[in-house]
Amino acid sequence: DNFDAIFTKYPESLIFGEDSGHIGDVNQGLEGLQEKFGELRVADAGIREATILGQGIGMAMRGLRPIAEIQYLDYLLYAIQIMSDDLATLQYRTKGRQKAPVIVRHRLEGIWHSGSPMGMILNAIRGIHVLVPRNMTKAAGFYNTLLQTDEPALVVECLNGYRLKEKMPLNLGEFTTPIGVVETIREGNDITIVSYGSTLRVIEQAAKELSEVGIDVEIIDVQSLLPFDINKDIVKSIAKTNRLLVVDEDVPGGASAYILQEIVENQNAYQYLDSKPQTLAS
């Protein structure tokens, strides 16, 4: 419904990718939209990730607002060189004279068919927003935010987010999710757990079980990996709880290590810790 509102509001917007058109993508996030907006604006593409991204960059440089859909996150590997060399560096290389605000859309959960190479992505595509919403309302808000900007972005939709029942927003196409701002989704006093995307639902369940034995967990959703917590809110939580656990489904030393460095080193959270900060990765 939010994509419907976007395509109505922005005539220059379009979406294309593997299974995006006829079946409305593999999770039906675009169901019925090709019939409504036509095959040019909601289109299928072959299994050729590098070409999908290249087309997206070309369209974006010419004033269109493309959403290039690469079905599952590990398939981004086939296009990572183009994202890294061409898209992430474009504004920098041209001193701001050229831009390509293409939005790349993915799904994430698990390994093999949809692996979690977040550390690789974060280190390869500095210069692109990397957004990791925990549910579809947050994801829709990110698309709405991005279409008000001229910045390229990678939006990673977590698969278990599709299974959530959420309240339908009344202002589709209008409401926004802020970029670079974390959200505290559970307040507590004993330990700060920082994560994003699919794992948050597991953490929320664990927090309920821990509360039964007297452990009060504060949970922070990062939401945006690049840029990361621009208001430095996470350290404020650690000043209260004095303990930190970073959870994510990437390999050890991947995104969790990146998050840990941001918090401990860049936000100087080390001075508030009463125990060793830890990561819990896949």
Side-chain angles (χ1 to χ4, degrees), residues 131-163:
L131 308 175
V132 282
R134 70 180 181 271
N135 59 39
M136 294 306 118
T137 308
K138 292 290 180 182
F142 275 135
Y143 290 113
N144 295 339
T145 301
L146 290 166
L147 284 164
Q148 296 173 14
T149 76
D150 282 326
E151 299 290 324
L154 171 67
V155 180
V156 182
E157 299 176 12
C158 59
L159 274 176
N160 70 16
Y162 294 118
R163 304 179 193 124

Short mmCIF file of all heavy atoms in Angstrom, two decimals, residues 131-163:
data_model
loop_
_atom_site.label_atom_id
_atom_site.label_comp_id
_atom_site.label_asym_id
_atom_site.label_seq_id
_atom_site.Cartn_x
_atom_site.Cartn_y
_atom_site.Cartn_z
N LEU A 131 20.28 0.69 5.50
CA LEU A 131 19.14 0.79 6.40
C LEU A 131 18.56 -0.59 6.65
O LEU A 131 18.35 -1.36 5.72
CB LEU A 131 18.08 1.73 5.79
CG LEU A 131 18.63 3.10 5.34
CD1 LEU A 131 17.56 3.91 4.64
CD2 LEU A 131 19.21 3.86 6.52
N VAL A 132 18.31 -0.91 7.93
CA VAL A 132 17.94 -2.27 8.33
C VAL A 132 16.69 -2.24 9.21
O VAL A 132 16.75 -2.51 10.41
CB VAL A 132 19.12 -2.97 9.05
CG1 VAL A 132 20.15 -3.44 8.04
CG2 VAL A 132 19.81 -2.04 10.06
N PRO A 133 15.52 -1.94 8.63
CA PRO A 133 14.28 -1.84 9.41
C PRO A 133 13.85 -3.18 9.98
O PRO A 133 14.04 -4.22 9.35
CB PRO A 133 13.27 -1.33 8.38
CG PRO A 133 13.81 -1.80 7.06
CD PRO A 133 15.30 -1.71 7.19
N ARG A 134 13.25 -3.15 11.19
CA ARG A 134 12.84 -4.39 11.84
C ARG A 134 11.45 -4.85 11.41
O ARG A 134 11.07 -5.99 11.64
CB ARG A 134 12.87 -4.23 13.37
CG ARG A 134 11.81 -3.32 13.95
CD ARG A 134 11.92 -3.21 15.47
NE ARG A 134 10.89 -2.36 16.04
CZ ARG A 134 10.99 -1.06 16.21
NH1 ARG A 134 12.10 -0.43 15.82
NH2 ARG A 134 10.01 -0.35 16.74
N ASN A 135 10.65 -3.97 10.82
CA ASN A 135 9.32 -4.35 10.35
C ASN A 135 8.97 -3.55 9.10
O ASN A 135 9.75 -2.71 8.65
CB ASN A 135 8.26 -4.17 11.46
CG ASN A 135 8.18 -2.72 11.95
OD1 ASN A 135 8.26 -1.77 11.18
ND2 ASN A 135 8.00 -2.55 13.25
N MET A 136 7.81 -3.80 8.55
CA MET A 136 7.47 -3.20 7.26
C MET A 136 7.03 -1.74 7.38
O MET A 136 7.16 -0.97 6.43
CB MET A 136 6.39 -4.03 6.55
CG MET A 136 6.87 -5.40 6.14
SD MET A 136 8.38 -5.38 5.12
CE MET A 136 9.50 -6.29 6.18
N THR A 137 6.51 -1.34 8.55
CA THR A 137 6.18 0.07 8.75
C THR A 137 7.45 0.90 8.75
O THR A 137 7.52 1.97 8.12
CB THR A 137 5.41 0.27 10.07
OG1 THR A 137 4.30 -0.63 10.10
CG2 THR A 137 4.89 1.69 10.18
N LYS A 138 8.48 0.41 9.46
CA LYS A 138 9.76 1.11 9.47
C LYS A 138 10.36 1.14 8.06
O LYS A 138 10.94 2.15 7.64
CB LYS A 138 10.73 0.42 10.43
CG LYS A 138 10.34 0.54 11.90
CD LYS A 138 10.52 1.97 12.37
CE LYS A 138 10.12 2.12 13.83
NZ LYS A 138 10.26 3.54 14.26
N ALA A 139 10.25 0.03 7.33
CA ALA A 139 10.78 -0.03 5.97
C ALA A 139 10.08 0.98 5.07
O ALA A 139 10.73 1.74 4.34
CB ALA A 139 10.60 -1.45 5.41
N ALA A 140 8.75 1.01 5.13
CA ALA A 140 7.99 1.96 4.32
C ALA A 140 8.40 3.39 4.65
O ALA A 140 8.55 4.24 3.76
CB ALA A 140 6.50 1.76 4.55
N GLY A 141 8.61 3.66 5.94
CA GLY A 141 9.05 4.99 6.37
C GLY A 141 10.39 5.37 5.76
O GLY A 141 10.63 6.52 5.40
N PHE A 142 11.29 4.39 5.64
CA PHE A 142 12.59 4.66 5.02
C PHE A 142 12.43 5.00 3.54
O PHE A 142 13.09 5.93 3.04
CB PHE A 142 13.53 3.46 5.17
CG PHE A 142 14.28 3.43 6.48
CD1 PHE A 142 14.39 2.24 7.20
CD2 PHE A 142 14.90 4.57 6.98
CE1 PHE A 142 15.10 2.20 8.40
CE2 PHE A 142 15.61 4.54 8.18
CZ PHE A 142 15.71 3.35 8.89
N TYR A 143 11.57 4.28 2.81
CA TYR A 143 11.36 4.61 1.40
C TYR A 143 10.80 6.04 1.27
O TYR A 143 11.22 6.79 0.40
CB TYR A 143 10.40 3.60 0.75
CG TYR A 143 10.99 2.23 0.56
CD1 TYR A 143 10.52 1.13 1.27
CD2 TYR A 143 12.05 2.02 -0.33
CE1 TYR A 143 11.08 -0.12 1.11
CE2 TYR A 143 12.61 0.77 -0.50
CZ TYR A 143 12.12 -0.30 0.22
OH TYR A 143 12.68 -1.55 0.06
N ASN A 144 9.88 6.39 2.17
CA ASN A 144 9.31 7.74 2.13
C ASN A 144 10.38 8.80 2.41
O ASN A 144 10.41 9.86 1.78
CB ASN A 144 8.17 7.86 3.13
CG ASN A 144 6.99 6.97 2.80
OD1 ASN A 144 6.82 6.56 1.65
ND2 ASN A 144 6.16 6.66 3.78
N THR A 145 11.25 8.52 3.39
CA THR A 145 12.35 9.45 3.70
C THR A 145 13.28 9.60 2.51
O THR A 145 13.65 10.72 2.12
CB THR A 145 13.15 8.94 4.92
OG1 THR A 145 12.29 8.83 6.04
CG2 THR A 145 14.29 9.89 5.26
N LEU A 146 13.68 8.47 1.92
CA LEU A 146 14.66 8.50 0.83
C LEU A 146 14.16 9.25 -0.38
O LEU A 146 14.94 9.93 -1.06
CB LEU A 146 15.04 7.06 0.45
CG LEU A 146 15.88 6.33 1.49
CD1 LEU A 146 15.91 4.83 1.18
CD2 LEU A 146 17.28 6.90 1.57
N LEU A 147 12.86 9.16 -0.65
CA LEU A 147 12.33 9.85 -1.82
C LEU A 147 12.25 11.36 -1.62
O LEU A 147 12.00 12.11 -2.55
CB LEU A 147 10.97 9.27 -2.21
CG LEU A 147 11.09 7.91 -2.91
CD1 LEU A 147 9.77 7.17 -2.93
CD2 LEU A 147 11.63 8.07 -4.34
N GLN A 148 12.48 11.82 -0.39
CA GLN A 148 12.57 13.25 -0.11
C GLN A 148 14.02 13.73 -0.19
O GLN A 148 14.31 14.91 -0.01
CB GLN A 148 12.01 13.57 1.28
CG GLN A 148 10.51 13.29 1.41
CD GLN A 148 10.01 13.45 2.84
OE1 GLN A 148 10.70 14.01 3.69
NE2 GLN A 148 8.82 12.95 3.11
N THR A 149 14.96 12.82 -0.46
CA THR A 149 16.38 13.15 -0.51
C THR A 149 16.94 12.78 -1.89
O THR A 149 16.23 12.26 -2.74
CB THR A 149 17.18 12.38 0.55
OG1 THR A 149 17.34 11.01 0.12
CG2 THR A 149 16.49 12.40 1.90
N ASP A 150 18.23 13.06 -2.07
CA ASP A 150 18.91 12.67 -3.31
C ASP A 150 20.06 11.72 -3.01
O ASP A 150 21.11 11.77 -3.65
CB ASP A 150 19.45 13.92 -4.03
CG ASP A 150 18.34 14.66 -4.76
OD1 ASP A 150 17.42 14.00 -5.25
OD2 ASP A 150 18.41 15.90 -4.83
N GLU A 151 19.88 10.85 -2.03
CA GLU A 151 20.95 9.97 -1.59
C GLU A 151 20.69 8.53 -2.01
O GLU A 151 19.56 8.05 -1.94
CB GLU A 151 21.07 10.02 -0.06
CG GLU A 151 21.39 11.39 0.51
CD GLU A 151 22.80 11.82 0.18
OE1 GLU A 151 23.70 10.97 0.16
OE2 GLU A 151 23.00 13.02 -0.07
N PRO A 152 21.74 7.80 -2.44
CA PRO A 152 21.57 6.37 -2.72
C PRO A 152 21.44 5.59 -1.41
O PRO A 152 21.97 6.01 -0.37
CB PRO A 152 22.87 6.00 -3.45
CG PRO A 152 23.88 6.97 -2.93
CD PRO A 152 23.12 8.26 -2.67
N ALA A 153 20.76 4.47 -1.46
CA ALA A 153 20.54 3.69 -0.23
C ALA A 153 20.33 2.23 -0.55
O ALA A 153 19.87 1.85 -1.63
CB ALA A 153 19.35 4.24 0.53
N LEU A 154 20.66 1.42 0.45
CA LEU A 154 20.35 -0.01 0.45
C LEU A 154 19.34 -0.24 1.57
O LEU A 154 19.63 0.06 2.73
CB LEU A 154 21.63 -0.80 0.71
CG LEU A 154 21.51 -2.31 0.96
CD1 LEU A 154 21.03 -3.02 -0.29
CD2 LEU A 154 22.85 -2.87 1.41
N VAL A 155 18.15 -0.71 1.24
CA VAL A 155 17.12 -1.01 2.24
C VAL A 155 16.99 -2.52 2.35
O VAL A 155 16.66 -3.19 1.38
CB VAL A 155 15.76 -0.38 1.88
CG1 VAL A 155 14.72 -0.71 2.95
CG2 VAL A 155 15.88 1.13 1.72
N VAL A 156 17.26 -3.04 3.54
CA VAL A 156 17.24 -4.48 3.77
C VAL A 156 15.97 -4.82 4.56
O VAL A 156 15.85 -4.47 5.73
CB VAL A 156 18.49 -4.94 4.55
CG1 VAL A 156 18.45 -6.46 4.73
CG2 VAL A 156 19.76 -4.52 3.83
N GLU A 157 15.03 -5.48 3.91
CA GLU A 157 13.79 -5.88 4.58
C GLU A 157 13.98 -7.28 5.16
O GLU A 157 14.33 -8.20 4.44
CB GLU A 157 12.63 -5.87 3.58
CG GLU A 157 12.36 -4.50 2.98
CD GLU A 157 11.26 -4.54 1.92
OE1 GLU A 157 10.55 -5.57 1.82
OE2 GLU A 157 11.11 -3.55 1.19
N CYS A 158 13.75 -7.43 6.48
CA CYS A 158 13.94 -8.75 7.09
C CYS A 158 12.71 -9.62 6.85
O CYS A 158 11.57 -9.16 6.98
CB CYS A 158 14.26 -8.63 8.57
SG CYS A 158 13.03 -7.80 9.58
N LEU A 159 12.96 -10.86 6.50
CA LEU A 159 11.85 -11.74 6.09
C LEU A 159 10.83 -11.95 7.20
O LEU A 159 9.63 -12.00 6.93
CB LEU A 159 12.40 -13.09 5.63
CG LEU A 159 12.83 -13.18 4.17
CD1 LEU A 159 13.45 -14.54 3.88
CD2 LEU A 159 11.65 -12.95 3.24
N ASN A 160 11.28 -12.08 8.46
CA ASN A 160 10.26 -12.32 9.49
C ASN A 160 9.41 -11.08 9.75
O ASN A 160 8.37 -11.16 10.41
CB ASN A 160 10.86 -12.91 10.77
CG ASN A 160 11.73 -11.95 11.56
OD1 ASN A 160 11.70 -10.73 11.36
ND2 ASN A 160 12.51 -12.49 12.48
N GLY A 161 9.82 -9.93 9.21
CA GLY A 161 8.98 -8.73 9.30
C GLY A 161 7.69 -8.87 8.51
O GLY A 161 6.67 -8.26 8.85
N TYR A 162 7.73 -9.67 7.43
CA TYR A 162 6.51 -9.86 6.62
C TYR A 162 5.44 -10.63 7.40
O TYR A 162 4.27 -10.58 7.06
CB TYR A 162 6.83 -10.64 5.35
CG TYR A 162 7.72 -9.92 4.37
CD1 TYR A 162 8.97 -10.44 4.03
CD2 TYR A 162 7.34 -8.72 3.78
CE1 TYR A 162 9.80 -9.79 3.14
CE2 TYR A 162 8.16 -8.07 2.88
CZ TYR A 162 9.39 -8.61 2.56
OH TYR A 162 10.21 -7.96 1.68
N ARG A 163 5.86 -11.36 8.43
CA ARG A 163 4.92 -12.21 9.17
C ARG A 163 4.27 -11.48 10.33
O ARG A 163 3.44 -12.04 11.03
CB ARG A 163 5.65 -13.46 9.67
CG ARG A 163 6.32 -14.23 8.53
CD ARG A 163 7.07 -15.45 9.04
NE ARG A 163 7.92 -15.96 7.97
CZ ARG A 163 9.22 -16.13 8.07
NH1 ARG A 163 9.83 -15.86 9.22
NH2 ARG A 163 9.93 -16.58 7.06
#
